[in-house]
Amino acid sequence: MLKAFKYRIYPTSEQSILLAKSFGCARWFYNYTLNLTSETYKQTGKGLSRNEIINLLPSLKKEYEWLTEAPSQALQQAALNLSSAFLNFFEGRAKYPNFKKKRNRQSIRFPQGCKLKDDILRLPKIGDVHCKVSRQPEGTLKSVTVSVNPSGEYLAACLYDDGKNLPEKSSEGKAIGIDVGLTHYAITSDGTKHGNPKYYRKYEKKLARRQKQLSHKLKGSNNRHKARIKVAKVHAKIVRCREDFIHKLSRKLVDENQVIVVENLAVRNMVKNHKLAKSISDAGWGEFCTMMKYKSEWEGKTYIEVDRFYPSSKTCNNCLNRVDSLSLDIRSWQCPKCGENHERDINAAKNILYEGLRILAVGHTVTASGGRVRPSKGTAFTRHLPVNEES
């Protein structure tokens, strides 16, 4: 089973210079081969294979001698990353690869020749780097990805193989449905509400002040560079706080439940709403679901996603009656058929749980022509619950 551990590293000034050169060489080689592949495809109708890209390195190192300053593994890994980017594009998982920019996060990967012992991380051609290890991992070190974020912090993501297989999934135990929101971050089917910390809103004024100071600095000056670092540190603080909250909440939900059911939300489409885009982006629902998914796999628990078109909020969890419309400002409503009073989010969480259990029992979602479809009124449910109707 593969697990990655991210540590903060503290390279010396000489090592920082060598890492900066390595980042630049890997970025240049990636952009060069991306441009060459695109031009080759326009002229011949065929791109360059992974081996053809890697075979360009010896001739390029003779033409550009500064390429030899970077570890050869990092340059070869850049070619593999480009090949994977094209594969994801052709299989519809991503857009066409873009050129890498110096301003963004920089990274290189070492697939071999690395060693982590105590608080020392040994990297090829870089040497021994001081590493702040929070916990010593177990298993075999497979690769190390060294990166630097815009605030100037160096990080090392160490991928380990512990030699264990993923445990078999089991659905015997407590099941829970989770509905995510903005007022409350997560609402569970048992009525528990977890608050939304809204870290971006918390640091928004401080960020605006730092950005204003940055805008007053002369472009290209050292003072502007210092102001940019201050802005980046505020962004990094927000990211760390959000990740810490999501890690703790996802771990709590996975530890307490055996079956976890959530809604498959299209966050990319939801942020197109200009009134809620900032709050939705600050919530990090996609990262939250990803953490619950892989943590459930590690523990042998069942993680299920309900289709985004499932009308969880507009359906009565008691009699399955579905109302025609329910605007976002309505937080509680009464079923016109059975008279049951519902709190919108808890009702949605219960319906998500019931639909997830139905999917678990059937083994697959209801589809038409191989794709998911919107459920029509009155035919969306196949579960059987006792219905109390007045005669």
Side-chain angles (χ1 to χ4, degrees), residues 176 178 180 185-186 188 194-195 197 241-262 283-299 301-303:
I176 194 169
I178 303 173
V180 295
Y185 190 86
T188 59
H194 301 274
C241 291
R242 184 188 299 121
E243 286 183 348
D244 179 71
F245 167 75
I246 295 176
H247 267 298
K248 291 178 180 178
L249 180 57
S250 60
R251 172 51 61 190
K252 175 181 174 62
L253 293 172
V254 171
D255 288 346
E256 295 178 352
N257 303 279
Q258 187 66 29
V259 179
I260 300 174
V261 188
V262 297
W285 293 332
E287 187 177 10
F288 175 59
C289 294
T290 300
M291 288 184 181
M292 287 196 298
K293 183 176 181 180
Y294 72 73
K295 289 176 183 178
S296 299
E297 292 176 353
W298 289 352
E299 302 295 332
K301 301 186 177 183
T302 303
Y303 173 86

Side-chain angles (χ1 to χ4, degrees), residues 32-300:
Y32 177 86
T33 52
L34 173 58
N35 179 69
L36 182 62
T37 303
S38 301
E39 293 297 328
T40 304
Y41 180 79
K42 291 179 182 178
Q43 297 175 3
T44 63
K46 295 182 180 180
L48 298 177
S49 65
R50 178 183 301 181
N51 291 333
E52 290 175 337
I53 295 176
I54 295 178
N55 292 335
L56 293 173
L57 275 174
S59 59
L60 288 175
K61 286 183 178 181
K62 293 180 180 179
E63 184 177 357
Y64 305 99
E65 295 183 358
W66 42 267
L67 281 177
T68 58
E69 298 179 1
S72 59
Q73 298 180 17
L75 300 180
Q76 293 174 5
Q77 191 62 47
L80 300 180
N81 294 340
L82 178 61
S83 178
S84 300
F86 273 112
L87 180 63
N88 292 332
F89 166 71
F90 288 122
E91 294 186 357
R93 293 192 296 267
K95 296 182 179 180
Y96 193 83
N98 293 324
F99 292 103
K100 293 185 179 295
K101 298 180 180 179
K102 187 177 181 179
R103 298 178 182 177
N104 299 341
R105 170 181 172 272
Q106 306 294 312
S107 66
I108 54 175
R109 182 178 299 174
F110 300 94
Q112 58 185 2
C114 304
K115 185 179 181 180
L116 177 63
K117 186 177 181 180
D118 297 331
D119 58 348
I120 298 297
L121 177 63
R122 179 167 297 175
L123 301 173
K125 214 168 187 176
I126 305 296
D128 294 343
V129 184
H130 176 65
C131 180
K132 189 175 182 180
V133 180
S134 55
R135 56 175 172 170
Q136 197 71 30
E138 298 179 357
T140 305
L141 181 60
K142 306 295 290 185
S143 66
V144 176
T145 301
V146 179
S147 61
V148 57
N149 56 26
S151 62
E153 298 175 348
Y154 289 88
L155 302 171
C158 303
L159 183 64
Y160 274 83
D161 186 1
D162 58 7
K164 302 178 183 178
N165 296 324
L166 287 174
E168 294 184 1
K169 287 186 179 180
S170 174
S171 58
E172 298 295 329
K174 183 181 177 182
I176 194 169
I178 303 173
D179 181 51
V180 295
L182 295 177
T183 304
H184 296 91
Y185 190 86
I187 303 92
T188 59
S189 55
D190 58 5
T192 305
K193 296 182 179 180
H194 301 274
N196 187 0
K198 300 180 181 179
Y199 290 110
Y200 183 85
R201 300 291 185 181
K202 181 178 179 181
Y203 293 97
E204 191 172 17
K205 290 185 178 180
K206 184 177 181 180
L207 180 61
R209 186 166 60 251
R210 292 285 187 263
Q211 289 174 331
K212 185 177 180 180
Q213 294 172 355
L214 174 63
S215 65
H216 292 166
K217 300 297 187 274
L218 181 65
K219 289 186 177 181
S221 64
N222 193 35
N223 285 335
R224 183 178 178 86
H225 175 70
K226 294 179 182 179
R228 184 193 63 79
I229 295 296
K230 292 181 180 180
V231 172
K233 286 185 176 180
V234 178
H235 280 293
K237 175 68 173 180
I238 296 172
V239 171
R240 288 197 302 268
C241 291
R242 184 188 299 121
E243 286 183 348
D244 179 71
F245 167 75
I246 295 176
H247 267 298
K248 291 178 180 178
L249 180 57
S250 60
R251 172 51 61 190
K252 175 181 174 62
L253 293 172
V254 171
D255 288 346
E256 295 178 352
N257 303 279
Q258 187 66 29
V259 179
I260 300 174
V261 188
V262 297
E263 191 174 8
N264 179 19
L265 298 175
V267 180
R268 183 176 298 180
N269 295 334
M270 297 174 69
V271 295
K272 294 179 181 179
N273 183 344
H274 66 278
K275 294 182 179 180
L276 300 176
K278 188 180 292 186
S279 298
I280 293 174
S281 300
D282 184 27
W285 293 332
E287 187 177 10
F288 175 59
C289 294
T290 300
M291 288 184 181
M292 287 196 298
K293 183 176 181 180
Y294 72 73
K295 289 176 183 178
S296 299
E297 292 176 353
W298 289 352
E299 302 295 332

Side-chain angles (χ1 to χ4, degrees), residues 316-379:
C316 173
N317 69 80
N318 182 45
C319 68
L320 307 183
N321 178 55
R322 175 182 166 188
V323 297
D324 294 329
S325 62
L326 197 68
S327 58
L328 287 174
D329 59 330
I330 300 177
R331 308 314 302 173
S332 60
W333 57 283
Q334 185 179 34
C335 177
K337 186 175 181 180
C338 67
E340 184 80 10
N341 292 318
H342 297 296
E343 189 173 344
R344 181 192 182 107
D345 296 330
I346 296 179
N347 175 68
K350 290 181 178 179
N351 284 325
I352 290 173
L353 171 62
Y354 297 147
E355 178 66 6
L357 295 178
R358 184 196 68 80
I359 294 173
L360 184 63
V362 175
H364 58 82
T365 55
V366 179
T367 61
S369 302
R372 294 181 177 180
V373 295
R374 291 177 181 266
S376 59
K377 183 178 180 180
T379 62

